Coordinates of all heavy atoms in Angstrom, one line a residue:
Chain A
L61 N 28.6 35.8 -12.8 CA 29.7 35.2 -12.2 C 29.6 35.1 -10.6 O 30.0 34.1 -10.0 CB 31.0 35.9 -12.6 CG 31.5 35.7 -14.0 CD1 32.7 36.6 -14.3 CD2 32.0 34.2 -14.1
L62 N 29.1 36.2 -10.1 CA 29.0 36.2 -8.6 C 27.8 35.5 -8.1 O 27.7 35.2 -6.9 CB 29.1 37.6 -8.1 CG 30.5 38.2 -8.1 CD1 30.4 39.8 -8.0 CD2 31.3 37.6 -7.0
G63 N 26.9 35.2 -9.0 CA 25.7 34.4 -8.5 C 24.5 35.3 -8.1 O 23.6 34.8 -7.6
Y64 N 24.6 36.5 -8.4 CA 23.5 37.4 -8.2 C 22.4 37.0 -9.2 O 21.2 36.9 -8.9 CB 23.9 38.9 -8.3 CG 22.8 39.9 -8.2 CD1 21.7 39.7 -7.4 CD2 22.9 41.1 -8.9 CE1 20.7 40.7 -7.4 CE2 22.0 42.1 -8.8 CZ 20.8 41.9 -8.1 OH 19.9 42.9 -8.0
F65 N 22.8 36.9 -10.5 CA 21.8 36.5 -11.5 C 22.0 35.0 -11.8 O 23.2 34.5 -12.0 CB 22.1 37.2 -12.9 CG 21.7 38.6 -12.9 CD1 22.0 39.4 -14.0 CD2 20.9 39.2 -11.9 CE1 21.6 40.7 -14.1 CE2 20.5 40.5 -12.0 CZ 20.9 41.3 -13.1
P66 N 21.0 34.2 -11.8 CA 21.1 32.8 -12.2 C 21.5 32.7 -13.7 O 21.0 33.4 -14.5 CB 19.7 32.2 -11.9 CG 19.0 33.2 -11.1 CD 19.6 34.5 -11.4
W67 N 22.4 31.8 -14.0 CA 22.9 31.6 -15.3 C 21.8 31.4 -16.3 O 21.9 31.8 -17.5 CB 24.0 30.5 -15.4 CG 25.3 30.9 -14.8 CD1 25.8 30.6 -13.6 CD2 26.3 31.7 -15.5 NE1 27.0 31.1 -13.4 CE2 27.4 31.7 -14.5 CE3 26.5 32.3 -16.7 CZ2 28.6 32.4 -14.8 CZ3 27.7 32.9 -17.0 CH2 28.7 33.0 -16.1
H68 N 20.8 30.6 -15.9 CA 19.8 30.2 -16.9 C 18.6 31.1 -16.9 O 17.5 30.8 -17.5 CB 19.4 28.7 -16.7 CG 20.5 27.8 -16.9 ND1 21.0 27.5 -18.2 CD2 21.4 27.2 -16.1 CE1 22.1 26.7 -18.1 NE2 22.3 26.5 -16.8
S69 N 18.6 32.2 -16.3 CA 17.5 33.1 -16.2 C 17.2 33.9 -17.5 O 18.1 34.0 -18.3 CB 17.7 34.1 -15.0 OG 18.8 34.9 -15.3
T70 N 16.0 34.3 -17.7 CA 15.7 35.2 -18.8 C 15.8 36.6 -18.4 O 15.9 36.9 -17.2 CB 14.2 35.0 -19.3 OG1 13.4 35.4 -18.2 CG2 14.0 33.5 -19.6
K71 N 15.9 37.5 -19.4 CA 16.0 38.9 -19.1 C 14.9 39.4 -18.2 O 15.1 40.1 -17.2 CB 15.9 39.6 -20.4 CG 16.8 40.9 -20.4 CD 16.9 41.5 -21.8 CE 17.8 42.7 -21.8 NZ 18.2 43.1 -23.1
E72 N 13.7 38.9 -18.5 CA 12.5 39.3 -17.7 C 12.7 38.8 -16.2 O 12.4 39.6 -15.3 CB 11.3 38.7 -18.3 CG 10.0 39.4 -17.8 CD 8.7 38.7 -18.3 OE1 8.8 38.0 -19.3 OE2 7.7 38.9 -17.6
E73 N 13.1 37.6 -16.1 CA 13.3 37.1 -14.7 C 14.3 37.9 -13.9 O 14.1 38.2 -12.7 CB 13.7 35.6 -14.8 CG 12.6 34.6 -15.1 CD 13.1 33.3 -15.5 OE1 14.3 33.1 -15.8 OE2 12.3 32.4 -15.7
R74 N 15.3 38.3 -14.7 CA 16.3 39.1 -14.0 C 15.8 40.5 -13.6 O 16.1 41.0 -12.5 CB 17.6 39.2 -14.9 CG 18.2 37.9 -15.1 CD 19.6 38.1 -15.7 NE 19.7 38.5 -17.1 CZ 19.7 37.7 -18.2 NH1 19.6 36.4 -18.0 NH2 19.7 38.2 -19.4
A75 N 15.0 41.1 -14.5 CA 14.4 42.4 -14.2 C 13.5 42.3 -12.9 O 13.6 43.2 -12.1 CB 13.6 42.9 -15.4
N76 N 12.8 41.2 -12.8 CA 11.9 41.0 -11.6 C 12.8 40.8 -10.4 O 12.4 41.4 -9.3 CB 11.0 39.8 -11.8 CG 9.9 40.1 -12.8 OD1 9.5 41.2 -13.0 ND2 9.4 39.1 -13.5
L77 N 13.8 40.1 -10.5 CA 14.7 39.8 -9.4 C 15.3 41.1 -8.9 O 15.3 41.4 -7.7 CB 15.8 38.9 -9.9 CG 16.9 38.6 -8.8 CD1 16.4 37.6 -7.8 CD2 18.2 38.0 -9.5
Q78 N 15.7 42.0 -9.9 CA 16.3 43.2 -9.5 C 15.3 44.1 -8.8 O 15.7 44.8 -7.8 CB 16.9 44.0 -10.7 CG 18.3 43.7 -11.0 CD 18.9 44.3 -12.2 OE1 18.3 44.1 -13.3 NE2 20.0 45.1 -12.2
K79 N 14.1 44.1 -9.2 CA 13.1 44.9 -8.6 C 12.9 44.4 -7.1 O 12.9 45.2 -6.2 CB 11.7 44.7 -9.3 CG 11.0 46.0 -9.5 CD 9.7 45.8 -10.3 CE 9.9 45.8 -11.8 NZ 8.8 45.4 -12.6
R80 N 12.8 43.1 -6.9 CA 12.6 42.6 -5.6 C 13.8 42.9 -4.7 O 13.7 43.3 -3.5 CB 12.5 41.1 -5.6 CG 11.1 40.5 -5.6 CD 11.0 39.1 -5.2 NE 12.2 38.2 -5.4 CZ 12.5 37.5 -6.5 NH1 11.7 37.6 -7.6 NH2 13.5 36.7 -6.6
K81 N 15.0 42.8 -5.3 CA 16.2 43.0 -4.5 C 16.4 44.5 -4.2 O 17.1 44.8 -3.2 CB 17.4 42.5 -5.3 CG 17.5 40.9 -5.4 CD 17.7 40.3 -4.0 CE 17.9 38.8 -4.1 NZ 18.1 38.2 -2.8
T82 N 15.9 45.3 -5.1 CA 16.0 46.8 -4.8 C 15.2 47.1 -3.5 O 15.7 47.8 -2.6 CB 15.5 47.6 -6.0 OG1 16.3 47.2 -7.1 CG2 15.7 49.1 -5.8
D83 N 14.0 46.6 -3.5 CA 13.1 46.8 -2.3 C 13.8 46.3 -1.0 O 13.8 47.0 0.0 CB 11.8 46.1 -2.5 CG 10.9 46.8 -3.6 OD1 11.3 47.9 -4.0 OD2 10.0 46.2 -4.0
E84 N 14.3 45.1 -1.2 CA 14.9 44.5 0.0 C 16.1 45.3 0.5 O 16.4 45.5 1.7 CB 15.4 43.1 -0.4 CG 15.6 42.2 0.8 CD 16.0 40.7 0.4 OE1 15.7 40.3 -0.7 OE2 16.6 40.1 1.3
Y85 N 16.9 45.8 -0.5 CA 18.1 46.6 -0.1 C 17.7 47.9 0.6 O 18.2 48.2 1.7 CB 18.9 47.0 -1.4 CG 20.0 47.9 -1.0 CD1 21.2 47.4 -0.5 CD2 19.9 49.3 -1.2 CE1 22.2 48.3 -0.1 CE2 21.0 50.2 -0.9 CZ 22.1 49.6 -0.3 OH 23.1 50.5 0.1
F86 N 16.7 48.6 0.1 CA 16.3 49.8 0.7 C 15.6 49.6 2.1 O 15.7 50.5 2.9 CB 15.5 50.7 -0.2 CG 16.4 51.3 -1.3 CD1 16.4 50.9 -2.6 CD2 17.3 52.3 -0.9 CE1 17.2 51.4 -3.5 CE2 18.2 52.8 -1.9 CZ 18.1 52.4 -3.2
R87 N 15.0 48.5 2.2 CA 14.4 48.2 3.5 C 15.5 48.1 4.6 O 15.4 48.6 5.6 CB 13.6 46.9 3.4 CG 12.8 46.5 4.7 CD 12.0 45.2 4.5 NE 12.7 44.1 4.0 CZ 13.6 43.3 4.7 NH1 13.7 43.6 6.0 NH2 14.2 42.3 4.2
M88 N 16.6 47.4 4.2 CA 17.7 47.2 5.1 C 18.5 48.5 5.3 O 19.0 48.8 6.4 CB 18.6 46.1 4.6 CG 18.0 44.7 4.8 SD 19.2 43.4 4.4 CE 19.3 43.5 2.6
K89 N 18.6 49.3 4.3 CA 19.3 50.6 4.4 C 18.6 51.5 5.4 O 19.2 52.2 6.2 CB 19.4 51.2 3.0 CG 20.2 52.5 3.0 CD 20.5 53.0 1.6 CE 21.3 54.3 1.7 NZ 21.6 54.9 0.4
L90 N 17.2 51.4 5.2 CA 16.4 52.3 6.1 C 16.6 51.9 7.6 O 16.6 52.8 8.5 CB 15.0 52.2 5.7 CG 14.0 53.2 6.4 CD1 14.3 54.6 5.9 CD2 12.5 52.8 6.0
Q91 N 16.9 50.7 7.8 CA 17.1 50.2 9.2 C 18.2 50.9 9.9 O 18.0 51.4 11.0 CB 17.3 48.7 9.3 CG 16.0 47.9 8.9 CD 16.3 46.4 8.7 OE1 17.4 46.0 8.6 NE2 15.2 45.7 8.6
W92 N 19.3 51.1 9.3 CA 20.4 51.8 10.0 C 20.3 53.3 9.9 O 20.7 54.0 10.8 CB 21.8 51.3 9.6 CG 22.2 51.5 8.1 CD1 22.0 50.6 7.1 CD2 22.8 52.7 7.6 NE1 22.5 51.2 5.9 CE2 23.0 52.4 6.2 CE3 23.2 53.9 8.1 CZ2 23.5 53.4 5.3 CZ3 23.7 54.9 7.2 CH2 23.9 54.6 5.8
K93 N 19.7 53.7 8.8 CA 19.5 55.1 8.6 C 18.5 55.7 9.6 O 18.6 56.9 9.9 CB 18.9 55.4 7.2 CG 19.9 55.3 6.1 CD 20.2 56.7 5.6 CE 21.2 56.8 4.5 NZ 21.8 58.1 4.3
S94 N 17.6 54.9 10.1 CA 16.6 55.4 11.0 C 17.0 55.3 12.5 O 16.1 55.6 13.3 CB 15.2 54.8 10.7 OG 15.3 53.4 10.9
V95 N 18.1 54.8 12.7 CA 18.6 54.7 14.1 C 19.0 56.1 14.6 O 19.8 56.7 14.0 CB 19.8 53.7 14.3 CG1 20.4 53.8 15.7 CG2 19.3 52.3 13.9
S96 N 18.3 56.6 15.6 CA 18.6 57.9 16.1 C 19.9 57.9 16.9 O 20.4 56.9 17.3 CB 17.5 58.4 17.0 OG 17.5 57.7 18.2
E97 N 20.5 59.1 17.1 CA 21.7 59.3 17.8 C 21.6 58.7 19.2 O 22.5 58.0 19.7 CB 22.1 60.8 17.9 CG 23.4 61.1 17.3 CD 23.6 62.6 17.3 OE1 24.1 63.1 18.4 OE2 23.3 63.3 16.3
E98 N 20.4 58.9 19.8 CA 20.1 58.4 21.2 C 20.2 56.9 21.2 O 20.7 56.3 22.1 CB 18.7 58.9 21.6 CG 18.7 60.3 22.1 CD 19.6 60.5 23.4 OE1 19.5 59.7 24.3 OE2 20.5 61.4 23.3
Q99 N 19.5 56.3 20.2 CA 19.5 54.8 20.1 C 20.9 54.3 19.9 O 21.3 53.3 20.5 CB 18.7 54.4 18.9 CG 17.3 54.1 19.1 CD 16.6 53.7 17.8 OE1 16.6 54.5 16.8 NE2 16.1 52.5 17.8
E100 N 21.7 55.0 19.1 CA 23.0 54.5 18.8 C 23.9 54.5 20.0 O 24.8 53.7 20.2 CB 23.6 55.3 17.6 CG 24.8 54.5 17.0 CD 25.3 55.0 15.7 OE1 24.4 55.1 14.8 OE2 26.4 55.4 15.5
K101 N 23.6 55.5 20.9 CA 24.4 55.5 22.1 C 24.3 54.2 22.9 O 25.2 53.9 23.7 CB 23.9 56.7 23.0 CG 24.6 58.0 22.6 CD 24.2 59.1 23.6 CE 24.7 60.4 23.0 NZ 23.8 61.5 23.5
R102 N 23.1 53.6 22.7 CA 22.9 52.3 23.5 C 23.2 51.1 22.6 O 22.8 50.0 23.0 CB 21.4 52.3 24.0 CG 21.1 53.4 25.0 CD 19.7 53.2 25.5 NE 18.7 53.5 24.5 CZ 18.2 54.7 24.2 NH1 18.5 55.7 25.0 NH2 17.4 54.9 23.2
N103 N 23.8 51.3 21.5 CA 24.1 50.1 20.6 C 25.6 50.2 20.2 O 25.9 50.6 19.2 CB 23.2 50.2 19.4 CG 23.2 48.9 18.6 OD1 24.2 48.2 18.7 ND2 22.2 48.7 17.8
S104 N 26.4 49.6 21.1 CA 27.8 49.8 20.9 C 28.3 49.0 19.7 O 29.2 49.5 19.0 CB 28.6 49.3 22.1 OG 28.3 47.9 22.3
R105 N 27.6 47.9 19.3 CA 28.1 47.2 18.2 C 27.9 48.0 16.9 O 28.8 48.1 16.0 CB 27.5 45.8 18.1 CG 28.1 44.9 19.1 CD 27.5 43.5 19.0 NE 27.9 42.8 17.8 CZ 27.4 41.7 17.4 NH1 26.5 41.1 18.1 NH2 27.9 41.1 16.3
L106 N 26.7 48.6 16.8 CA 26.4 49.4 15.6 C 27.4 50.6 15.5 O 27.9 50.9 14.5 CB 25.0 49.9 15.6 CG 24.5 50.7 14.4 CD1 24.5 49.8 13.1 CD2 23.2 51.3 14.6
R107 N 27.6 51.2 16.7 CA 28.5 52.3 16.8 C 29.9 51.9 16.3 O 30.6 52.6 15.6 CB 28.5 52.8 18.3 CG 28.8 54.2 18.4 CD 28.4 54.7 19.9 NE 29.1 53.9 20.9 CZ 28.5 53.3 21.9 NH1 27.2 53.5 22.1 NH2 29.2 52.7 22.8
D108 N 30.4 50.8 16.8 CA 31.7 50.3 16.4 C 31.8 50.0 14.9 O 32.8 50.4 14.3 CB 32.1 49.0 17.2 CG 32.3 49.3 18.7 OD1 32.4 50.5 19.0 OD2 32.4 48.4 19.5
Y109 N 30.8 49.4 14.4 CA 30.8 49.1 13.0 C 30.9 50.4 12.2 O 31.7 50.6 11.3 CB 29.5 48.4 12.5 CG 29.4 46.9 13.0 CD1 28.1 46.3 13.2 CD2 30.5 46.1 13.3 CE1 28.0 45.0 13.6 CE2 30.4 44.8 13.8 CZ 29.1 44.3 13.9 OH 29.0 43.0 14.3
R110 N 30.0 51.4 12.6 CA 30.0 52.6 11.9 C 31.3 53.3 11.9 O 31.8 53.8 10.9 CB 28.9 53.5 12.5 CG 28.6 54.8 11.6 CD 27.9 55.8 12.4 NE 26.5 55.5 12.6 CZ 25.5 55.7 11.8 NH1 25.7 56.2 10.6 NH2 24.3 55.4 12.1
S111 N 31.9 53.3 13.1 CA 33.2 54.1 13.2 C 34.3 53.4 12.4 O 35.1 54.1 11.7 CB 33.5 54.2 14.7 OG 34.8 53.8 15.0
L112 N 34.3 52.1 12.4 CA 35.3 51.4 11.6 C 35.1 51.6 10.1 O 36.0 51.9 9.3 CB 35.2 49.9 11.8 CG 36.1 49.2 12.8 CD1 35.7 47.7 13.0 CD2 37.5 49.3 12.5

Side-chain angles (χ1 to χ4, degrees):
Chain A
L61 282 171
L62 280 165
Y64 174 34
F65 286 172
W67 283 100
H68 296 286
S69 58
T70 64
K71 213 172 181 162
E72 196 188 336
E73 285 164 351
R74 295 196 289 270
N76 288 332
L77 177 77
Q78 265 175 310
K79 222 179 279 167
R80 265 199 337 271
K81 291 293 188 183
T82 303
D83 292 345
E84 201 179 336
Y85 175 79
F86 285 107
R87 186 174 54 76
M88 289 186 286
K89 184 174 178 179
L90 190 64
Q91 289 170 348
W92 63 266
K93 279 256 180 195
S94 58
V95 171
S96 70
E97 241 175 83
E98 281 299 307
Q99 267 180 300
E100 196 164 304
K101 275 186 191 151
R102 295 182 294 268
N103 191 337
S104 63
R105 285 183 70 189
L106 184 66
R107 212 164 54 227
D108 289 349
Y109 291 155
R110 189 197 290 277
S111 126
L112 266 176

